[in-house]
Amino acid sequence: AQTVTQSQPEMSVQEAETVTLSCTYDTSESDYYLFWYKQPPSRQMILVIRQEAYKQQNATENRFSVNFQKAAKSFSLKISDSQLGDAAMYFCAYRSPINRDDKIIFGKGTRLHILP
Amino acid sequence: ETGVTQTPRHLVMGMTNKKSLKCEQHLGHNAMYWYKQSAKKPLELMFVYSLEERVENNSVPSRFSPECPNSSHLFLHLHTLQPEDSALYLCASSQDTPRGRAGEQYFGPGTRLTVT
């Protein structure tokens, strides 16, 4: 069965610094999707970044980038130039291909604090 | 209205009540989802309607009953709930393709459910 592990329940970073959130997963599939979602105190879940497993290039979205290591089954999120608005819970998620017993699994989350 | 909307935002119900949660997406997507978010637990996928097919989730108790009358609307019918069903219920939608390529999910603001 697929699993997603976020080993850091909480992290803190100084404003304007860079922080990396870790995520590992387990699957026997070769084609799948990985996501990072952000949930601020408002509870609105917001997509941060998406990676398709068949793509070797790491996804980037402005200050957010991932380090996707398929062999190691690792999918870390790097936030550069951290801003106060980045404070939130961050969830890593795995999704299997739709036509293969659609599974969507979230990690337990990492609470990120931004220190002014 | 834009994005994904959910009503009501807050709901308190007794264990013998019957109520329904409503979700509407204004994004033209073809897949919709119900999630349960409890304290200290990972986000749990409850139901998926993708490409007009419902993906069963046998681990969800029968006191939760989904209904998807069309691609824009999704309901979660609740009856004889238990206190442990108290949680934030999130709806999401995505645009998936018949070839099995999953789109990223856009989430609604959630319904905070309290069962007394």
Side-chain angles (χ1 to χ4, degrees):
Chain A
Q2 294 90 346
T3 59
V4 175
T5 302
Q6 293 179 250
S7 59
Q8 307 147 314
E10 287 196 63
M11 292 191 72
S12 297
V13 63
Q14 208 72 37
E15 194 176 1
E17 296 295 307
T18 296
V19 64
T20 299
L21 309 183
S22 67
C23 173
T24 58
Y25 59 95
D26 191 24
T27 183
S28 57
E29 300 283 350
S30 59
D31 189 18
Y32 48 86
Y33 308 87
L34 296 166
F35 305 89
W36 277 99
Y37 285 92
K38 167 185 176 182
Q39 190 178 40
S42 67
R43 307 295 270 173
Q44 178 73 54
M45 194 78 79
I46 303 163
L47 176 71
V48 174
I49 204 162
R50 161 198 173 112
Q51 176 82 42
E52 299 189 46
Y54 71 90
K55 291 184 178 178
Q56 293 187 341
Q57 188 173 7
N58 288 327
T60 62
E61 194 70 45
N62 300 316
R63 297 183 294 107
F64 299 87
S65 61
V66 297
N67 183 4
F68 174 47
Q69 302 286 330
K70 191 172 184 179
K73 296 179 183 174
S74 169
F75 183 61
S76 61
L77 174 70
K78 185 171 87 170
I79 306 174
S80 304
D81 185 26
S82 298
Q83 300 176 0
L84 294 177
D86 296 332
M89 278 290 283
Y90 285 82
F91 294 95
C92 177
Y94 164 99
R95 184 172 188 180
S96 58
I98 297 167
N99 53 6
R100 293 229 197 120
D101 187 22
D102 197 2
K103 288 268 190 274
I104 305 172
I105 300 166
F106 281 72
K108 289 187 177 181
T110 296
R111 184 170 299 282
L112 179 64
H113 302 278
I114 310 295
L115 306 174
Chain B
E1 294 279 16
T2 58
V4 181
T5 58
Q6 289 185 243
T7 55
R9 295 293 307 276
H10 300 272
L11 178 62
V12 179
M13 60 185 288
M15 290 192 285
T16 57
N17 291 159
K18 285 185 181 182
K19 296 285 184 185
S20 296
L21 309 185
K22 179 183 175 182
C23 175
E24 184 172 359
Q25 59 97 359
H26 310 269
L27 301 167
H29 288 167
N30 59 12
M32 296 187 78
Y33 313 78
W34 279 118
Y35 286 89
K36 177 183 179 182
Q37 188 174 30
S38 308
K40 300 181 181 178
K41 281 179 126 182
L43 203 63
E44 300 169 70
L45 178 63
M46 299 176 72
F47 299 104
V48 181
Y49 282 85
S50 181
L51 302 171
E52 299 184 4
E53 287 188 9
R54 173 177 156 180
V55 177
E56 295 292 338
N57 186 339
N58 295 327
S59 66
V60 179
S62 59
R63 56 186 183 269
F64 295 92
S65 173
E67 179 189 0
C68 190
N70 54 60
S71 60
S72 299
H73 294 86
L74 184 65
F75 296 89
L76 187 63
H77 303 300
L78 317 170
H79 66 97
T80 58
L81 295 191
Q82 305 296 312
E84 60 264 28
D85 297 323
S86 298
L88 181 70
Y89 288 85
L90 293 167
C91 173
S93 71
S94 67
Q95 181 63 24
D96 300 337
T97 71
R99 286 179 169 233
R101 308 255 42 116
E104 49 266 31
Q105 295 180 327
Y106 292 81
F107 283 80
T111 294
R112 171 67 65 187
L113 173 67
T114 303
V115 181
T116 60

